[in-house]
DNA sequence: GTAAAAGTCAAGCGACCGTTTGACTTCCCT
DNA sequence: AGGGAAGTCAAACGGTCGCTTGACTTTTAC
């Protein structure tokens, strides 16, 4: 009983913290780091303005924690998909694994899509502390590069790196641009049937 | 003589106006609409803060004029490229024409790249008055779609629209992300040799 | 020559920003 | 029972924001 009370009390503080993170994620996805204000976050979270300083130290720190959470979640999911690939995977299978986390988010919409939007913005305006996740970032890229090199042994590696970055950028764009919200209204399998060939084609290249 | 003086004087007012537009373009390209401040623009332009209200009415109006200029310039260039295509153009030729304005800007860097960055941001945060250019936007898309449909008669038109949007998004991403600045340091023909196959592949699709 | 028009400028307006403060409540520990 | 830690809150801080004002200079028009 006393322990229950402890947990309940701790939940009160934790709840405010989580509400702030959720509100920050939504606004960061919508407007980016420059367009977010402390008062709007706290209002959406139903909290006092001082709560941000109390729980995170500053607005910037809250944004960094939020972005880092989103980025780590995305990279973990993508690495998981890529690691599940066979050594002999085709370009189409690579494209599917590479795009899977983004496709799932596009199909789910809501908070999942907000995570992706926030992640995509990192590629344009990198926040300060993001170097901490650079390792995971490189891990995903290297895994994709291996499969790519197996399928396209005649293509220069620098070009393969470029294609991975192009494909990643295209997926990020889908999350950020209005087309992302449009796709969220489509059946998931239809989105997949449209998107996979494009990513595969970008990987393969064509003259 | 009096006419010369008239012109010189008119240039004085026009010069401040142009300096404001240039400074606004640079900052809009760098930080986007939300991250731009009146005082930073006027400082970069060497003008007084009141100059913006005097010449444009408000900061928002200045931003809209700047963005519209950049967008119109981009669309005109792209439409020109696409209109120069033969009816029987290949996918690779289509890709080259489609990507030509962006590739030129990536090669030139500086102000040209700033124009592209500003244009690309329109796709994420559309400013208020951009509907005025929707016609040119559709014109470019329709022209690309025709060549695409000729080369890929077996593909559903909705899918072709999707591929055009993906390709455009990828190009926009190249302008916005750090990779854009990296490419600006490369030889132009090398960028072209890397980029065209990716765009072509995205157009063509692959299983 | 002279009055109107065009343009520039320093100063200041109210509004909103992120952050801090100190009082206050609630719960844990002994 | 009571000291203390955790958390919340209204209020206020200094600073920056976009924008306006009114004085001032320069150019234009007659």
């Amino acid at each position: 009983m006393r322990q229950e009370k402890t947990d309940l009390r701790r939940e009160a503080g934790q709840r405010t913290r989580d509400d702030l993170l959720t509100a920050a994620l939504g606004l960061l996805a919508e407007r980016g780091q420059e367009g977010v204000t402390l008062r709007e976050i706290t209002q959406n979270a139903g909290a006092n303005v001082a709560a941000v300083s109390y729980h995170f130290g500053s607005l910037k720190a809250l944004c960094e924690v939020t972005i880092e959470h989103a980025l780590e979640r995305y990279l973990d999911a993508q690495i998981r998909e890529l690691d599940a690939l066979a050594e002999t995977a085709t370009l189409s299978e690579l494209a599917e694994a590479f795009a899977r986390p983004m496709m799932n988010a596009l199909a789910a919409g809501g908070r999942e899509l907000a995570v992706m939007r926030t992640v995509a913005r990192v590629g344009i305006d990198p926040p300060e502390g993001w170097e901490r996740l650079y390792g995971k970032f490189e891990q995903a890229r290297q895994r994709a590069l291996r499969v790519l090199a197996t399928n396209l042994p005649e293509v220069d590696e620098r070009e393969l790196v470029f294609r991975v970055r192009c494909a990643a950028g295209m997926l990020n764009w889908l999350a950020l641009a209005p087309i992302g919200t449009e796709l969220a209204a489509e059946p998931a399998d239809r989105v997949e049937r449209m998107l996979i060939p494009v990513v595969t084609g970008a990987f393969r290249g064509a003259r």
Side-chain angles (χ1 to χ4, degrees), chain A:
Chain A
M1 171 84 110
R2 212 168 67 196
Q3 187 57 34
E4 279 178 13
K5 272 189 170 180
T6 302
D7 287 355
L8 284 174
R9 190 63 194 85
R10 170 171 298 165
E11 268 176 21
Q14 196 75 355
R15 159 118 68 151
T16 300
R17 217 187 105 101
D18 291 345
D19 289 347
L20 287 173
L21 283 169
T22 299
L25 176 65
L27 289 172
L28 282 171
E30 200 90 15
R31 301 203 238 290
Q33 226 169 334
E34 306 283 351
V36 125
T37 72
L38 176 71
R39 281 168 166 83
E40 200 170 9
I41 289 176
T42 51
Q43 187 168 330
N44 281 18
N48 187 271
V49 287
V52 169
S53 291
Y54 180 79
H55 286 285
F56 299 93
S58 70
L59 172 63
K60 205 169 108 180
L62 166 58
C63 289
E64 283 171 10
V65 168
T66 306
I67 292 172
E68 194 171 311
H69 275 189
L71 184 55
E72 186 162 25
R73 187 165 158 184
Y74 171 68
L75 289 176
D76 283 341
Q78 194 178 51
I79 290 170
R80 212 178 308 127
E81 294 288 340
L82 291 173
D83 277 341
L85 281 179
E87 281 289 333
T88 58
T90 64
L91 285 183
S92 184
E93 289 167 338
L94 171 64
E96 184 174 339
F98 194 80
R100 174 63 54 199
M102 182 63 74
M103 286 192 304
N104 286 348
L106 288 172
R111 187 193 167 83
E112 297 305 311
L113 186 51
V115 171
M116 290 300 140
R117 273 204 242 267
T118 305
V119 167
R121 288 194 192 269
V122 175
I124 300 178
D125 307 308
E128 277 191 16
W130 94 280
E131 298 86 357
R132 210 186 66 80
L133 293 174
Y134 200 80
K136 289 191 175 180
F137 186 77
E138 271 302 314
Q139 188 178 339
R141 178 187 288 182
Q142 289 302 331
R143 193 66 182 88
L145 268 181
R146 257 208 307 264
V147 180
L148 215 50
T150 305
N151 280 271
L152 302 168
E154 77 282 7
V155 181
D156 179 37
E157 197 204 342
R158 285 194 53 181
E159 231 174 299
L160 295 182
V161 172
F162 179 75
R163 292 186 190 180
V164 172
R165 296 179 78 174
C166 282
M170 195 175 71
L171 294 177
N172 284 339
W173 182 264
L174 291 184
L176 282 179
I179 191 177
T181 342
E182 300 172 28
L183 290 178
E186 301 261 354
D189 64 327
R190 177 181 179 82
V191 173
E192 186 171 334
R193 258 196 315 253
M194 288 204 301
L195 181 53
I196 297 291
V198 182
V199 178
T200 308
F203 278 153
R204 172 162 298 154
R207 282 174 297 106

